[in-house]
Amino acid sequence: MSLPLEELLKLEAEDILAHNERPKSDDLRNKQQIYYDDVEEGMELPKYIYNPTPTHLFRWSAAIENFHRIHYDLDFGLNHDKNPSILVHGSWKQSVVPQYLKDWILPRGWPWKAQFEHRAMLVPGDILIMWGRVTSKYEKGQMGFVELEIGMMTQDGIESMPGTATVVLPLRGGPDIPYPFVPPAD
Amino acid sequence: MTQETQSALTPEVRAMIGVSGDVVEAWGEVDGEYLRRFTQAVMDPDPRYWDKDFAESTHYGEIITPPIMVSYLASRIRPDQDDPVTRAFEENPESDGIGSIERPGELPPVPTNLMRILNAGNELEVYKYPSIGDKVFFQNRYSDIRERVGRDGRAFLIITRETTYTNQKDELLCITRASTIRR
């Protein structure tokens, strides 16, 4: 059962991990559409929980060819930049955001916009909770626009990436969201 | 702002707002191997990225790729350029591995003596998932430069660099905005 963020943060770290709602391949293959009509203010999105290791960080550095030593060279991080450890990449967090929004709006919605800040240094061993909550919604051009508050919180309740997002959902019985996405005229 | 505070938003800095770089064609194309490594590293197992038959049956009609993957793909170091990693360490054995590495399409620096750089945040706008085989074009622009005053009374700058990504059909893929604080 999906726990509200507030309840999740009351758990011990290892118990938080047990509430990970990151989907598997088949979950995404068989994802049922959430319609605009079904969304209510205050609704929480599934929580994606990560427990990054140095190997995860190295894999990300290699995948995107990011050579910044603070992400893989512990000696450099500790002694040159005086960081507490090697650091989780802002670029990785940034890339989780559209994934998270995509997964929620599949199969026919659109993850249109997001904006967020980077706060706090995240290090291997941290438990990171990607979360989202509906703040408002409106219809326009036969499409359903949903405004979200999003973030990536540590197990200690420190918000490392406060932000907002706008996704587009089909109306029940309404037309498909155009692809490529074209926002309605103001 | 107090009268004693020296403005960081000088006419020279203000003149950088709207300055654009060239439209740059990224090296290579959107390819399945980059996609595999990227999606595994971000831990997204969506079959729309790798199951061709399934992907063709979806709303998108083809294999898709994560929307902002192109922002990393576009900054790949070309194989026909000098090795910038080796050069960075030749110039500075204590290089942080990123500071001296030139990337294509960079904007001219903002003329300020505020040297400390902090990440202030990001914005993403997504319009189309890049397709396998797409050529990617991008253009940087200083979309905004604002001045703020810190608690210490000193002015600092928030510089926003906007990057627009398109494909070979001139279709808009995504727009990213990265804001940095210069103190």
Side-chain angles (χ1 to χ4, degrees):
Chain A
M1 180 185 163
S2 185
L3 277 185
L5 182 63
E6 196 173 289
E7 296 299 317
L8 199 58
L9 290 169
K10 293 177 182 172
L11 301 179
E12 296 295 325
E14 53 271 27
D15 295 326
I16 292 176
L17 287 170
H19 289 270
N20 180 21
E21 296 173 281
R22 279 162 50 197
K24 309 269 190 223
S25 279
D26 279 349
D27 299 325
L28 295 165
R29 189 187 296 274
N30 300 314
K31 171 77 167 42
Q32 297 300 302
Q33 184 69 57
I34 292 178
Y35 289 95
Y36 172 79
D37 316 59
D38 304 327
V39 170
E40 295 177 358
E41 190 177 318
M43 176 186 284
E44 290 194 5
L45 277 61
K47 317 297 182 299
Y48 286 16
I49 301 173
Y50 299 89
N51 189 199
T53 65
T55 309
H56 287 98
L57 272 58
F58 172 76
R59 180 170 65 173
W60 180 252
S61 283
I64 66 163
E65 300 180 21
N66 177 333
F67 306 117
H68 201 174
R69 295 167 70 188
I70 61 170
H71 300 301
Y72 58 84
D73 185 336
L74 181 61
D75 180 63
F76 181 87
L78 292 174
N79 297 313
H80 186 276
D81 274 25
K82 311 297 182 192
N83 292 330
S85 181
I86 56 173
L87 300 182
V88 174
H89 309 66
S91 57
W92 174 78
K93 294 163 62 184
Q94 167 172 286
S95 297
V96 168
V97 170
Q99 170 194 357
Y100 183 69
L101 300 175
K102 164 189 71 77
D103 291 354
W104 194 59
I105 59 80
L106 282 174
R108 292 188 298 111
W110 189 247
W112 184 24
K113 288 197 242 185
Q115 68 85 28
F116 40 86
E117 296 177 10
H118 294 287
R119 296 181 190 166
M121 292 183 185
L122 303 178
V123 300
D126 276 341
I127 291 175
L128 309 175
I129 306 165
M130 181 73 216
W131 63 275
R133 183 183 293 124
V134 175
T135 55
S136 65
K137 65 176 197 173
Y138 57 94
E139 285 183 46
K140 196 172 185 183
Q142 292 190 287
M143 292 183 265
F145 290 78
V146 179
E147 301 285 352
L148 303 167
E149 180 183 13
I150 59 171
M152 186 178 280
M153 198 167 276
T154 70
Q155 71 274 13
D156 299 320
I158 296 168
E159 182 50 73
S160 74
M161 191 175 63
T164 61
T166 307
V167 300
V168 189
L169 293 174
L171 310 180
R172 194 176 286 282
D176 279 349
I177 305 302
Y179 180 74
F181 179 64
V182 180
D186 286 328
Chain B
M1 191 182 304
T2 63
Q3 285 187 325
E4 293 76 26
T5 301
Q6 188 173 2
S7 176
L9 193 60
T10 62
E12 292 78 15
V13 170
R14 195 187 299 273
M16 299 303 289
I17 300 172
V19 168
S20 297
D22 295 333
V23 175
V24 175
E25 178 180 347
W27 180 82
E29 59 189 32
V30 178
D31 65 275
E33 175 56 14
Y34 193 96
L35 171 64
R36 181 189 67 79
R37 285 190 285 116
F38 185 93
T39 54
Q40 288 181 342
V42 78
M43 295 178 264
D44 184 350
D46 196 330
R48 289 162 184 80
Y49 298 140
W50 49 265
D51 184 335
K52 187 169 183 289
D53 290 341
F54 172 68
E56 288 176 349
S57 74
T58 69
H59 186 48
Y60 314 111
E62 61 177 2
I63 294 268
I64 61 170
T65 68
I68 63 167
M69 186 183 87
V70 290
S71 68
Y72 306 110
L73 181 144
S75 64
R76 283 190 289 196
I77 296 165
R78 302 177 63 93
D80 56 359
Q81 73 181 87
D82 288 341
D83 176 7
V85 174
T86 300
R87 193 179 64 238
F89 284 94
E90 285 172 349
E91 291 171 355
N92 175 15
E94 295 300 311
S95 169
D96 62 4
I98 197 168
S100 304
I101 296 175
E102 293 174 14
R103 299 285 188 177
E106 280 299 326
L107 293 169
V110 173
T112 175
N113 57 7
L114 300 171
M115 299 308 291
R116 190 164 178 227
I117 300 174
L118 301 168
N119 188 338
N122 297 85
E123 291 181 44
L124 315 172
E125 288 182 29
V126 180
Y127 294 92
K128 185 181 185 299
Y129 294 126
S131 304
I132 297 292
D134 268 1
K135 296 290 293 182
V136 176
F137 299 81
F138 66 98
Q139 184 175 32
N140 291 314
R141 182 174 78 96
Y142 286 120
S143 58
D144 194 24
I145 303 177
R146 296 175 187 216
E147 184 177 48
R148 294 283 185 273
V149 177
R151 289 177 188 160
D152 59 3
R154 292 183 181 171
F156 63 92
L157 297 172
I158 301 175
I159 300 171
T160 302
R161 187 185 65 174
E162 177 181 278
T163 309
T164 301
Y165 296 90
T166 55
N167 65 12
Q168 70 283 359
K169 299 174 191 167
D170 206 27
E171 294 173 313
L172 177 60
L173 302 173
C174 65
I175 300 170
T176 64
R177 295 182 193 89
S179 295
T180 52
I181 293 170
R182 295 285 293 270
R183 286 188 181 276

